[in-house]
């Protein structure tokens, strides 16, 4: 197992170098550089080029690019040349993660939950109806969906605010920054998710697991609420949550469909297996057979395919950030595009690439741990789903 | 094979090539069987029906323009309806979906925009699948160093999903739909698709008839053409469906933000409403905003449904017992 991890890590590093090189070639392939878009006398342009390092020979720029990338320096933004791209991304990413992480967890969770249910009752209207709904949401045009949801929930019903991250009135005189509250919320989300997963794992052999899980989840919720109330920032956190509801909801609706269909496909593959028949013969309740025996196996290939969906969810979150004016990395992407700010754009592409690489790595290691046949092969798709 | 009695009375076995099915007849038979399984899934049939409807829409536009619609009123981008007092107008018998803020017929625009969507989707799909299959087959067939190199490249391109690359490049440059389709296809084909195609090609490579073909003296090109490619077509079709859906969605997003140079597509229609919301609030233009959004959803959804149904067909374990 360890040998596999080491081999996989070295491959990941090589991939990273190739990826960065490809990004650099992409920048060079774009016609014209920043200085050509600025209006001014040629001497000014020359000075600008020298300042931004655009007049150095290509190989020098390449070395600077790669060196900077591996030391964490992604260059300076063209919009404000004293600001480092890394700083911009670090400042914006908690907000994006606060939207993206729960969307991934809840969206995939909902998809898996629905998928295993509709696969269990094959045929019939539930399967067709759920599939159609899932596909309708998955294939729907995000701005159109946002338009609909905002119109219904924000304007007509008035339950949620139609845009923005915070309501400035509720932050009047608060001594902490928005980012710090967002970061703390992010930490809360991650800790809670971990504790929730731990709860599920610990109660797997309990006598009445469902009751214990409900009690445990309730206790966890109370604990979280208590901690936040004690910190005195509950109102601000609630404000952010209030603004998070619609963007998060839209993102979940956009992403659950594919997971649901994949889960259904994976479940059906295992429905006829002998061990399922055995479990039924033993007298296990239907839900136990479905969850503990079939769904557990079906999760493997679904997890393997999750990496292919991550970019879609990511791009969905960028677009949703722009539409809801949720000031995160997505919003920064569009602003940078407005200003032709290439370092920020390439920086975001690099970061997206790194996130994808980490996700692939994690899922490969997870897959190899669960299915030992994969540890010897280098490139193999585990189960054909 | 027929047995004919020779003069010596010993039956000789002569291959009767006239009655044996040709290779393509066998292939067609397999495809017919695939079709029969395909039509059993309601999703697949619905997807095909929708695609047929959209094809009908796209060919009906030039027909309508040539026959019942007069150019001044119904032209998608230079038409103007002089009869109404203020534009946009709500749906009426004369304008089935009303008019937009510049007085152009929305229904005509909707029909016209189907063309670029099909073109974009098909070009992107074909380029992606062609690239991925080439890389996959070459990588699987030759193996060794070439395999390692190509898969290393594919590994790096997995990190650059076509949607994100197209979003970034499209935000910087306004392009028309052929260029968009090309970029999408290239980035889609070089990444994860190539790995999938290679896995499938590997599963073909280990089959005994490949070895038999080599022993019989088949060249590499012959083997690839005759044995690899026909077996990869179903998977190519499947992935093409998903690529079409993804490319049309991404183009619609770029057009929505106004960053494309496309004359008319569903995304640009929605963008136009966004631009003209001052002339009349977006809520009042629901008749103009609902159809293109619905069209995008149904178009991409249809291709996706066909893809999913093909997936059911190609994976024999999924068929209803």
């Amino acid at each position: 197992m360890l040998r596999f991890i080491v081999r996989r890590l070295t491959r990941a590093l090589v991939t990273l170098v190739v990826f960065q090189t490809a990004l650099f070639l992409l920048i060079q392939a774009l016609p014209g550089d920043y200085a050509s878009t600025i209006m001014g006398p040629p001497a000014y342009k020359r000075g600008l080029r020298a300042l931004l390092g655009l007049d150095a020979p290509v190989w020098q720029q390449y070395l600077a690019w790669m060196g900077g990338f591996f030391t964490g320096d992604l260059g300076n933004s063209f919009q404000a040349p004293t600001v480092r791209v890394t700083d911009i991304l670090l400042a914006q990413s908690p907000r994006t993660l606060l939207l993206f992480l729960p969307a991934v967890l809840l969206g995939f969770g909902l998809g898996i939950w629905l998928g295993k249910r509709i696969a269990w009752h094959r045929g019939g209207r539930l399967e067709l109806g759920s599939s159609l709904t899932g596909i309708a949401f998955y294939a729907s045009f995000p701005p159109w969906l946002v338009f609909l949801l905002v119109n219904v929930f924000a304007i007509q019903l008035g339950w949620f605010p139609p845009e923005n991250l915070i309501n400035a009135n509720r932050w009047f005189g608060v001594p902490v920054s928005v980012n710090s509250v967002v970061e703390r919320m992010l930490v809360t989300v991650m800790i809670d998710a971990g504790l929730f997963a731990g709860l599920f794992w610990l109660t797997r052999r309990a006598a009445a697991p469902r009751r214990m899980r409900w009690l445990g989840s309730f206790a966890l919720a109370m604990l979280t609420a208590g901690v936040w109330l004690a910190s005195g920032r509950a109102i601000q956190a609630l404000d952010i949550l209030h603004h998070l509801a619609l963007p998060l909801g839209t993102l979940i609706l956009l992403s659950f469909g594919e997971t649901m269909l994949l889960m259904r496909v994976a479940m059906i593959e295992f429905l006829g297996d002998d061990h399922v028949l055995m479990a039924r013969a033993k007298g296990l309740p239907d839900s136990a057979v479905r969850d503990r025996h079939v769904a557990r196996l079906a999760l493997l290939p679904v997890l393997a395919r999750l990496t292919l969906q991550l970019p879609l969810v990511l791009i969905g979150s960028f677009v949703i950030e722009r539409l809801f004016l949720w000031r995160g990395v997505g919003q920064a992407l569009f602003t940078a595009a407005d200003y032709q700010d290439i370092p920020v754009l390439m920086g975001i592409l690099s970061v997206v690439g790194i996130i994808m690489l980490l996700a692939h790595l994690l899922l490969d290691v997870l897959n190899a741990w669960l299915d030992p046949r994969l540890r010897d092969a280098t490139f193999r798709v585990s189960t054909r789903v | 094979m027929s047995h004919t009695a020779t003069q010596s009375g010993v039956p000789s076995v002569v291959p009767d090539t006239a009655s044996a099915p040709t290779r393509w007849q066998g292939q067609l038979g397999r495809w017919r069987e695939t079709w029969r399984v395909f039509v059993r899934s309601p999703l697949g049939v619905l997807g095909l029906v929708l695609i047929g409807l959209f094809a009908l829409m796209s060919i009906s536009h030039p027909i309508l323009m040539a026959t019942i619609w007069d150019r001044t009123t119904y032209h998608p981008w230079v038409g103007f309806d002089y009869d109404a007092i203020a534009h946009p107008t709500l749906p009426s018998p004369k304008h089935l979906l009303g008019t937009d803020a510049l007085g152009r017929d929305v229904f005509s625009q909707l029909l016209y925009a189907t063309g670029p969507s099909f073109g974009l989707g098909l070009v992107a799909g074909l380029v992606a699948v062609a690239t991925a299959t080439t890389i996959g087959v070459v990588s699987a067939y030759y193996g060794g160093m070439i395999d390692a190199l190509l898969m290393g490249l594919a590994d790096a391109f997995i990190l650059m999903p076509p949607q994100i690359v197209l979003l970034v490049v499209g935000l910087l440059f306004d392009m028309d739909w052929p260029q968009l389709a090309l970029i999408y296809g290239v980035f889609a084909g070089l990444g994860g698709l190539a790995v999938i195609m290679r896995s499938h090609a590997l599963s073909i490579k280990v089959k005994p008839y490949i070895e038999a073909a080599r022993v019989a003296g088949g060249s590499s090109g012959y083997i690839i053409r005759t044995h690899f490619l026909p077996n990869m077509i179903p998977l190519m079709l499947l992935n093409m469906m998903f690529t079409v859906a993804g490319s049309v969605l991404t183009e619609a997003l770029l057009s929505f933000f106004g960053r494309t140079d496309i004359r008319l597509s569903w995304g640009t229609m929605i963008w136009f409403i966004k631009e003209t919301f001052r002339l009349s609030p977006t809520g009042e233009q629901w008749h103009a905003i609902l159809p293109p959004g619905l069209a995008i959803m149904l178009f991409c959804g249809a291709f996706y449904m066909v893809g999913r149904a093909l997936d059911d067909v190609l994976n024999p374990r999924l068929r209803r017992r």
Side-chain angles (χ1 to χ4, degrees), chain A residues 162-219:
Chain A
E163 58 183 19
N164 269 324
L165 184 66
I166 59 169
N167 183 345
N169 293 329
R170 302 192 193 142
W171 288 75
F172 199 65
V174 172
V176 294
S177 71
V178 177
N179 253 0
S180 69
V181 178
V182 172
E183 277 163 20
R184 282 203 202 130
M185 288 174 74
L186 200 58
V187 168
T188 312
V189 165
M190 292 200 280
I191 292 181
D192 273 356
L195 286 175
F196 195 64
L199 175 75
F200 260 72
W201 193 72
L202 284 172
T203 55
R204 69 194 188 283
R205 292 205 186 282
R210 206 165 271 175
R211 195 187 334 150
M212 296 197 66
R213 282 168 186 172
W214 274 106
L215 278 177
S217 312
F218 183 69

Side-chain angles (χ1 to χ4, degrees), chain A residues 26-198:
Chain A
L26 187 67
I27 304 175
Q28 294 300 317
L30 298 175
D33 56 11
Y34 185 67
S36 57
T37 65
I38 306 288
M39 287 194 280
Y44 176 71
K45 288 195 185 185
R46 256 177 297 155
L48 195 61
R49 280 209 175 90
L51 177 70
L52 295 173
L54 294 170
D55 60 346
V58 183
W59 62 268
Q60 233 177 24
Q61 288 188 46
Y62 177 64
L63 285 174
W65 168 255
M66 296 297 276
F69 174 73
F70 282 102
T71 54
D73 175 20
L74 289 165
N76 289 1
S77 157
F78 282 171
Q79 295 172 64
T82 51
V83 180
R84 293 171 60 219
V85 173
T86 329
D87 293 335
I88 298 179
L89 291 180
L90 280 176
Q92 302 285 56
S93 45
R95 304 146 177 235
T96 303
L97 283 175
L98 191 64
L99 182 62
F100 180 67
L101 271 181
V104 166
L105 292 173
L106 291 174
F108 290 162
L110 182 69
I112 289 175
W113 188 83
L114 273 176
K116 74 182 182 192
R117 276 189 158 72
I118 65 174
W120 200 241
H121 308 283
R122 261 211 101 175
R125 286 176 308 188
L126 177 68
E127 186 185 4
L128 191 62
S130 307
S131 304
L132 279 178
T133 321
I135 293 179
F137 277 117
Y138 180 70
S140 67
F141 189 45
W144 188 76
L145 191 66
V146 167
F147 166 70
L148 277 176
L149 288 176
V150 165
N151 243 319
V152 170
F153 288 103
I155 298 182
Q156 306 281 353
L157 290 173
W159 288 352
F160 302 106
E163 58 183 19
N164 269 324
L165 184 66
I166 59 169
N167 183 345
N169 293 329
R170 302 192 193 142
W171 288 75
F172 199 65
V174 172
V176 294
S177 71
V178 177
N179 253 0
S180 69
V181 178
V182 172
E183 277 163 20
R184 282 203 202 130
M185 288 174 74
L186 200 58
V187 168
T188 312
V189 165
M190 292 200 280
I191 292 181
D192 273 356
L195 286 175
F196 195 64

Side-chain angles (χ1 to χ4, degrees), chain A residues 11 15 19 30 122 135-136 139 141 144 147 258 262 265 269 311-312 315 319 337-338 340 345 360 381 384, chain B residues 155-156 158 160-161 163 171-173 199 252-253 259 270 289 293 297 301 304-305 308 311 315 317-318 320:
Chain A
R11 227 181 83 204
T15 309
F19 168 68
L30 298 175
R122 261 211 101 175
I135 293 179
F141 189 45
W144 188 76
F147 166 70
E258 166 95 344
L262 280 179
V265 164
E269 274 204 43
L312 301 180
I315 206 182
V319 170
D338 279 338
Q340 301 262 315
L345 286 172
H360 271 270
V381 181
R384 215 224 129 250
Chain B
D155 247 3
I158 287 180
M160 290 187 278
Q163 294 90 347
L171 285 177
L172 285 176
F173 300 101
S199 308
L253 242 87
R259 305 303 182 110
I270 303 186
I289 207 174
M297 180 174 97
Y304 188 71
M305 280 191 266
R308 274 277 145 245
D311 208 13
N315 197 344
R317 287 180 279 183
L318 294 181
R320 220 65 74 84

Side-chain angles (χ1 to χ4, degrees), chain B residues 8-316:
Chain B
S8 61
V10 177
S12 79
V13 177
V14 175
D16 184 4
T17 46
S19 67
T22 63
R23 190 187 69 245
W24 278 107
Q25 275 177 339
Q27 187 73 283
L28 274 172
R30 272 198 295 281
W31 285 353
R32 208 170 289 141
E33 171 67 29
T34 313
W35 170 257
R36 240 173 277 151
V37 179
F38 179 81
V39 294
R40 270 195 250 151
S41 84
L43 275 184
V45 173
L46 183 65
L48 272 187
V49 164
L50 280 174
I51 295 179
L53 248 132
F54 279 107
L56 209 73
M57 275 169 66
S58 76
I59 47 175
S60 68
H61 187 261
I63 297 176
L64 281 172
M65 286 299 288
T67 50
I68 34 177
W69 280 351
D70 68 294
R71 197 184 176 282
T72 27
T73 325
Y74 289 96
H75 195 271
W77 58 85
V78 295
F80 185 82
D81 192 2
Y82 292 93
D83 293 339
I85 300 174
H87 288 288
T89 61
L90 289 174
S92 63
K94 188 173 170 205
H95 295 280
L96 283 172
L97 286 171
T99 57
D100 69 359
L102 270 187
R104 309 180 291 198
D105 184 35
V106 173
F107 190 54
S108 171
Q109 289 186 328
L110 195 74
L111 291 185
Y112 182 83
T114 320
S117 303
F118 263 114
L120 176 91
L122 283 170
V123 170
L126 285 172
V127 168
V129 165
T131 331
T133 311
T134 318
I135 295 182
V137 170
V138 165
S139 188
Y141 187 75
Y142 290 108
M145 197 61 194
I146 298 183
D147 185 19
L149 234 95
L150 285 176
M151 283 302 114
L153 197 72
D155 247 3
F157 270 92
I158 287 180
L159 304 181
M160 290 187 278
Q163 294 90 347
I164 298 204
V165 169
L166 200 60
L167 188 72
V168 169
V169 176
L171 285 177
L172 285 176
F173 300 101
D174 296 357
M175 294 180 280
D176 201 356
W177 62 263
Q179 290 95 317
L180 284 174
L182 205 67
I183 297 184
Y184 190 93
V186 164
F187 277 90
L190 286 173
L193 268 185
V195 181
I196 294 176
M197 289 300 174
R198 176 189 171 273
S199 308
H200 194 69
L202 276 179
S203 72
I204 299 176
K205 184 179 168 186
V206 297
K207 294 233 166 97
Y209 56 79
I210 300 286
E211 203 176 333
R214 297 226 74 169
V215 165
S219 69
S220 300
Y222 169 79
I223 294 181
I224 290 180
R225 271 198 324 273
T226 352
H227 294 290
F228 274 90
L229 287 185
N231 280 307
M232 304 205 49
I233 288 185
L235 198 64
M236 284 166 75
L237 210 63
L238 171 71
N239 283 306
M240 198 171 118
M241 297 293 135
F242 295 136
T243 314
V244 169
S247 63
V248 171
L249 263 177
T250 318
E251 173 271 322
L253 242 87
L254 277 175
S255 296
F256 172 76
F257 291 112
R259 305 303 182 110
T260 55
D261 205 15
I262 304 176
R263 181 148 255 163
L264 190 66
S265 89
W266 294 320
T268 52
M269 282 171 77
I270 303 186
W271 167 78
F272 186 72
I273 296 168
K274 195 169 64 112
E275 291 294 298
T276 55
F277 83 97
R278 282 202 177 77
L279 295 177
S280 72
T282 316
E284 277 181 21
Q285 292 199 61
W286 61 267
H287 63 278
I289 207 174
L290 236 69
L294 210 64
I296 296 173
M297 180 174 97
L298 289 176
F299 189 81
C300 297
F303 276 97
Y304 188 71
M305 280 191 266
V306 172
R308 274 277 145 245
L310 271 177
D311 208 13
D312 277 358
V313 166
L314 294 175
N315 197 344

